[in-house]
Amino acid sequence: MSTAILTGPPVAGSPLEADLRTLGFDVRTANDAASAAELLAAVPAQERVAVVDPRFVGHLHALRLALTDPRYPAAAVPGALTAQPAARAALARAFGRIPVGAGTAHLTDVLTDTLTESLDRDETGLHRVELGSLVATVALTPAQREDAREAVAAVDDEAVRLRTAVKSRDGFFTTYCISPYSRYLARWCARRGLTPNQVTTASLLTALIAAGCAATGTRGGFIAAGFLLLFSFVLDCTDGQLARYSLQYSTMGAWLDATFDRAKEYAYYAGLALGAARGGDDVWALALGAMVLMTCRHVVDFSFNEANHDATANTSPTAALSGKLDSVGWTVWVRRMIVLPIGERWAMIAVLTAFTTPRIVFYALLIGCALAACYTTAGRVLRSLTRRARRTDRAAQALADLADSGPLAELIAGRARGRGRTGSFLAPVMAFLSAAVLLVWVIFQDDPTSWLTVGVAVCSALLAGAAVARPLKGALDWLVPPFFRAGEYVTILVLAARTDVPGALPAAYGLVAAVAYHHYDTVYRIRGGTGAPPRWLVRATGGHEGRILVITVLAAALSPSGFTIALTALAVALALLVLIESIRFWVSSQAPAVHDEGEPA
């Protein structure tokens, strides 16, 4: 139970106490600032505390946004503020700063405003809620109270709550084909006590059932798979809308929300490949290629955003042109659809699954995602080259973490440190050569499963170490992690395909999925502000260059069937290692209670 302290002149007939109890607060009253401070001290340290002026007039949802959102240590609207345990000490200090005696009545007349200003100065991470059309005010006179009540009656806060439950920026398909009714499904779930985590889990289970239907290889199975995939996406939208509607953000929800989308999509690819195999068509290489392309696309997005979101002097003519295009309504939707976000992508996959074959699904997916990747990457390269941005140490560290360099690259980087110039194009060039040298060899060599390939892998590791020897603050240094991902994933794909043994590509699929999970986990930890996974985990997994070296050695030393078994064992070992550590982190108290509100994936 949270505690709300009403401090100020009482107002007869006000529904405020009932509203606070509806929000789960135990309401207590105080006559003045001193007695309110005493009540605050008596509340257990692990509880949330709200301070509310009894003369508050406003929408219930305005109070909900200010007093119950778990993402902020402190939050406020006019007349009401809250402090979670992390900000309780700052609130106590704010009470202690309030002077007493003659000439100080203006500071306690609206005590909540004085406390809010004090918390803001204390840099406690105070969140001032953007109310939009919602009303929140302190009515000091009967006339002001009457005006405020009329303003409240003029706005339907439930309609506002439903509207704001939908992500502010989303794809065309999601915005116009899913969200108009999924928001009502979210409200239905909220009224029945369902949590976002339960809806997220239901979405995952639905997608896994869809993958199972696709794996049957029958036309009826494919039709059912397409329908269930779309329904899974509806639930996927609903869980976030439910979280925003009821403000049920949690650390576990952040982890589920961050990882289940990829798990659903990649499990569905596997189901399609299994279904095709039942019909005599081997499309595992296409399924793995689709997963590699999708993951590399996301790494490009993540790296670019991390490199630039806190850069200074961060402007460019290309960005200005993009801003102008955003003012023309239809171009916004065209540009969002071009990148084939998750809504459009899943709709395309579902329809093609129902009416065509898995091979056609993967061809369409690969072509569409390749065009989208070219469009977004080219635009970001142009922006980076025309910017005069100064990138921060935090951004450089984020890129280094996303690079996922292991002990071998660290050793090489240590020896190469001091050579080259920070901010030059040396890092992306070295990263590109690291991937290109290896990929050209394994793709065009007649027998890539030889000891010569191990030597090429060592050369690739040397180049990779040189790429991360200096802080990644250059204009195009955000390309370093995507180059490393492409080099590692495609190498695994090609070596498995060239063994020409049944089971090699499915084993490679499992291995890439395990490694990709580790990379996505790294991204969402950085986004949550908690930093990358611990270095012991990165070293234990070998880093990208270490894994490449191990895989090339296994390919050279073992028979094709032995290599397949080794890939399977490696996939299982890596999956267990990264999953156990990831689950430990995301259910711990240090995990961030955030949900993805950014661009559609």
Side-chain angles (χ1 to χ4, degrees):
M1 174 71 74
S2 301
T3 300
I5 301 172
L6 293 178
T7 175
V11 178
S14 171
L16 181 59
E17 288 193 34
D19 287 344
L20 290 170
R21 289 192 173 94
T22 298
L23 297 178
F25 284 91
D26 176 26
V27 181
R28 305 181 187 180
T29 58
N31 295 324
D32 50 33
S35 57
E38 291 176 1
L39 284 177
L40 173 68
V43 175
Q46 70 274 15
E47 284 191 13
R48 174 194 290 268
V49 173
V51 181
V52 185
D53 193 301
R55 297 163 295 181
F56 174 90
V57 180
H59 288 101
L60 175 62
H61 192 50
L63 277 178
R64 182 182 290 108
L65 290 170
L67 305 184
T68 66
D69 195 328
R71 294 174 296 175
Y72 309 105
V77 292
L81 66 94
T82 186
Q84 294 202 65
R88 284 279 302 275
L91 181 59
R93 289 195 300 271
F95 269 109
R97 295 191 189 107
I98 296 175
V100 296
T104 63
H106 68 287
L107 295 176
T108 56
D109 186 32
V110 184
L111 180 62
T112 52
D113 290 354
T114 301
L115 294 172
T116 297
E117 294 299 326
S118 182
L119 287 175
D120 211 0
R121 290 193 302 270
D122 229 8
E123 297 184 355
T124 57
L126 176 74
H127 172 64
R128 292 183 182 268
V129 177
E130 294 183 9
L131 292 171
S133 59
L134 295 174
V135 176
T137 187
V138 176
L140 301 179
T141 67
Q144 290 178 352
R145 175 168 292 275
E146 187 61 29
D147 290 342
R149 286 175 173 171
E150 290 179 1
V152 169
V155 177
D156 184 352
D157 73 335
E158 178 61 20
V160 173
R161 189 181 179 190
L162 270 175
R163 185 176 66 251
T164 55
V166 177
K167 190 184 292 187
S168 59
R169 178 183 174 87
D170 227 326
F172 181 88
F173 179 78
T174 305
T175 300
Y176 290 104
C177 299
I178 303 296
S179 292
Y181 58 87
S182 63
R183 70 184 75 183
Y184 295 101
L185 179 58
R187 181 171 66 181
W188 183 89
C189 293
R191 290 177 175 177
R192 283 152 184 81
L194 297 176
T195 67
N197 293 352
Q198 291 170 334
V199 178
T200 302
T201 303
S203 176
L204 174 66
L205 293 175
T206 303
L208 293 178
I209 295 171
C213 291
T216 63
T218 64
R219 179 51 52 195
F222 288 147
I223 293 173
F227 174 80
L228 288 170
L229 185 66
L230 284 178
F231 183 61
S232 173
F233 182 65
V234 172
L235 293 176
D236 182 60
C237 295
T238 301
D239 66 356
Q241 291 165 0
L242 174 58
R244 287 182 284 273
Y245 180 85
S246 56
L247 300 181
Q248 294 184 72
Y249 300 101
S250 67
T251 55
M252 177 64 77
W255 174 61
L256 297 177
D257 187 60
T259 57
F260 275 17
D261 278 352
R262 301 289 79 78
K264 289 181 286 191
E265 188 165 359
Y266 296 161
Y268 191 82
Y269 293 174
L272 283 175
L274 288 169
R278 285 180 176 273
D281 189 12
D282 187 354
V283 296
W284 275 107
L286 296 177
L288 181 50
M291 180 166 65
V292 168
L293 179 56
M294 193 62 58
T295 305
C296 289
R297 270 192 65 192
H298 289 144
V299 173
V300 168
D301 296 341
F302 300 144
S303 297
F304 179 81
N305 291 333
E306 288 301 324
N308 291 287
H309 88 278
D310 60 353
T312 57
N314 197 13
T315 60
S316 76
T318 308
L321 175 61
S322 178
K324 290 180 180 179
L325 288 174
D326 283 343
S327 64
V328 183
W330 65 271
T331 66
V332 174
W333 294 115
V334 170
R335 291 163 66 209
R336 290 188 190 179
M337 293 173 70
I338 287 175
V339 302
L340 206 63
I342 188 170
E344 279 77 357
R345 190 169 68 249
W346 282 26
M348 180 188 74
I349 293 170
V351 171
L352 291 178
T353 298
F355 295 105
T356 64
T357 66
R359 181 172 289 273
I360 292 176
V361 174
F362 286 124
Y363 281 154
L365 189 61
L366 287 166
I367 293 170
C369 289
L371 292 175
C374 291
Y375 169 77
T376 55
T377 305
R380 286 165 179 171
V381 168
L382 285 175
R383 288 191 184 195
S384 299
L385 291 175
T386 56
R387 273 175 172 154
R388 293 294 180 267
R390 292 187 294 275
R391 291 168 177 83
T392 63
D393 292 337
R394 192 217 63 82
Q397 184 58 52
L399 290 180
D401 292 333
L402 290 173
D404 192 33
S405 299
L408 182 56
E410 285 182 336
L411 177 63
I412 296 165
R415 293 183 177 275
R417 192 156 286 132
R419 303 172 187 175
R421 181 169 59 87
T422 300
S424 69
F425 296 117
L426 180 63
V429 168
M430 290 294 102
F432 171 78
L433 290 176
S434 172
V437 165
L438 185 62
L439 294 182
V440 168
W441 176 267
V442 297
I443 291 172
F444 295 103
Q445 181 66 17
D446 290 336
D447 181 18
T449 59
S450 67
W451 289 104
L452 286 175
T453 304
V454 176
V456 175
V458 172
C459 293
S460 175
L462 291 171
L463 293 168
V468 295
R470 304 287 293 178
L472 298 176
K473 294 184 177 182
L476 295 179
D477 285 1
W478 55 270
L479 287 170
V480 170
F483 283 144
F484 287 164
R485 298 296 80 76
E488 179 181 2
Y489 297 161
V490 178
T491 296
I492 296 172
L493 189 162
V494 173
L495 288 177
R498 296 291 291 274
T499 59
D500 199 24
V501 171
L505 280 168
Y509 192 94
L511 176 58
V512 172
V515 176
Y517 176 87
H518 167 59
H519 292 144
Y520 281 113
D521 187 50
T522 301
V523 165
Y524 283 99
R525 294 197 200 200
I526 294 172
R527 277 189 170 184
T530 56
R535 284 304 301 171
W536 71 260
L537 179 66
V538 177
R539 293 189 177 101
T541 60
H544 70 95
E545 81 291 345
R547 290 188 295 269
I548 290 174
L549 192 58
V550 168
I551 290 165
T552 56
V553 168
L554 292 174
L558 301 174
S559 65
S561 59
F563 179 58
T564 300
I565 295 171
L567 282 181
T568 304
L570 189 59
V572 171
L574 281 175
L576 288 175
L577 183 62
V578 300
L579 275 172
I580 290 172
E581 205 288 324
S582 176
I583 292 171
R584 179 211 61 78
F585 169 79
W586 285 102
V587 300
S588 69
S589 59
Q590 61 182 321
V594 296
H595 281 241
D596 181 16
E597 302 292 334
E599 297 185 13

